[in-house]
Amino acid sequence: EHDSTVSIIVVGASGDLAKKKIFPALFALYYEDCLPKHFTVFGYARSKMTDAELRDMVSRTLTCRIDKRENCSEKMEQFLKRCFYHSGQYDSEKNFAELGTKLRDHEGGRVSNRLFYLSIPPNIFTEVVKCASNSASSANGWTRVIVEKPFGRDAESSAALTRDLKQYLVEDQIFRIDHYLGKELVENLSVLRFSNLIFEPLWSRQYIRNVQFIFSEDFGTEGRGGYFDNYGIIRDIMQNHLLQILALFAMETPVSLDAEDVRNEKVKVLRSMKPLQLENVVVGQYKSHTKGGVTYPAYTDDKTVPKGSLTPTFAAAALFINNARWDGVPFLMKAGKALHSKIAEIRVQFRHVPGNLFNRSFGTDLDRATNELVIRVQPDEGIYLKINNKVPGLAMRLDRSNLNLHYAARYSKEIPDAYERLLLDAIEGERRLFIRSDELDAAWALFTPVLKELEEKKVMPEFYPYGSRGPVGAHYLAARHNVQWGDIS
Ligand code: BG6
């Protein structure tokens, strides 16, 4: 270990993701002493830049958010000294070979490990992987490649991408990121569920009435329309982020927490699901809205979006798992941009207490008396459980109150960014939080038919005002399955 070195090559170093997430996460890991003793960071992109210019660019992305008191700027200087740049074309074996030579110089004869982070558009994934693996892979250590979605647009294109990558890499070298798996509360799901007696036995159709996975953002596509319009919200959020959370939520108990054991269970539950039906989907698109004298643009006002685009910026869906544990339980998803708030959460609505002595106290609305477990993924992380309680006083009056685990109040330590956890795992070869190719295939199998149908039938999205709660269709969809959205009621 001491005699090995890790080089992290950020391909597409001047892009948005690199600046916003990758460099800051690497610095945070360095700051926390989590990176190996010998490491270097290499930016690779087409534009000409010197090492000094790269450092300057990177330094503007770094913050001392972790521990403001101590020697942060000193640490920054040390980190930046280990950042370098190589300019090259994405399809040039020659340029990658030059990079390889530079890497070798830095490795100084130690065992060489190389982690390529592809922070580039998907149409050049294969070219880059080809050049990197032929001309810049490690001769005596490991070579790993991190890729980000989009992994294709549907089952076929995703399978084609996997086939292409596997001409140059084996499955174990491919680290497919879904950054939601790096989020603290998503990682906590298994702990909550499997280590608590008050939850573990309740986790089935016997006690759970429905589960809701909710994602909303209070801003639109803002300049990302070019990418977004080709994918839409179902591919951007549901097929990956929300479905991954669902898989962790609903999987059977894995044999262990080893990557293969966990991923085997995730694949199993995904393969037990029925492909999403058109009748179980509602799509929406935001339109412009004026509030307090400010006009918020419609999706199609975005210059990068084609006029008249029908691409959904909102979708709600009801999915079902065909197994003994979950038969008949609706798993609802809702995802949208330009809504009234920014939130990601899981809501678990439990069944009614049979023969509840107190039913009369709730009048006709029994749903108000059911327990609900809310796992707030972000922002303001927390877990709370709605329970019935007697309002203090002489009368027998009940209301629903929260047992509340509020992270900010309970834990003083700042929650690491998802990319920190995932980068560290990739460096350490821990694959549990990365998507295996059979998981990806199973995820696409669930959404591909309905995506094709929506496009072929040119299904009109329901328009909703920027900043609203989204189309009412989502409400009717839930109601058809006897569900009320927990974030609205
Ligand atoms: C990305 C999507 O995967 O996740 C974006 O492409 C979305 O559209 C983003 O904004 C949300 O991530 P986070 O971590 O900010 O919730």
Side-chain angles (χ1 to χ4, degrees), residues 363-484:
T364 49
D365 193 3
L366 266 188
D367 284 357
R368 283 173 30 88
T370 58
N371 297 124
E372 185 171 32
L373 175 68
V374 182
I375 300 162
R376 169 74 55 82
V377 175
Q378 67 184 35
D380 203 16
E381 292 80 354
I383 301 170
Y384 56 96
L385 178 62
K386 297 190 177 182
I387 62 160
N388 298 307
N389 201 52
K390 181 180 165 304
V391 179
L394 297 178
M396 177 57 80
R397 200 159 70 74
L398 273 61
D399 76 356
R400 226 162 43 144
S401 297
N402 293 340
L403 290 180
N404 197 352
L405 170 54
H406 183 209
Y407 272 46
R410 174 71 183 85
Y411 302 107
S412 56
K413 202 164 163 4
E414 188 146 1
I415 294 174
D417 187 76
Y419 282 89
E420 293 168 34
R421 188 189 315 279
L422 295 171
L423 272 162
L424 184 61
D425 280 359
I427 291 169
E428 293 182 343
E430 164 61 78
R431 294 173 175 79
R432 182 169 51 88
L433 300 179
F434 295 89
I435 315 293
R436 211 166 61 187
S437 71
D438 53 348
E439 278 185 84
L440 182 60
D441 294 344
W444 276 121
L446 292 176
F447 285 94
T448 298
V450 84
L451 284 165
K452 293 218 160 121
E453 240 181 304
L454 284 166
E455 276 153 30
E456 274 157 21
K457 296 189 173 152
K458 297 198 172 17
V459 173
M460 276 298 279
E462 264 181 74
F463 292 97
Y464 60 97
Y466 194 117
S468 68
R469 287 179 177 272
V472 297
H475 167 79
Y476 294 123
L477 171 67
R480 277 215 313 280
H481 295 287
N482 264 318
V483 179
Q484 285 182 30

Side-chain angles (χ1 to χ4, degrees), residues 21 149 179-180 183 215 217 219 224 227-228 236-237 240-241 337 342 378:
K21 296 291 184 184
K149 73 156 206 293
H179 78 285
Y180 266 63
K183 295 196 186 253
F215 168 97
E217 279 179 341
F219 47 89
R224 272 178 88 236
Y227 150 79
F228 190 88
D236 191 47
I237 303 292
N240 34 68
H241 304 329
K337 293 196 173 268
K342 176 166 168 53
Q378 67 184 35

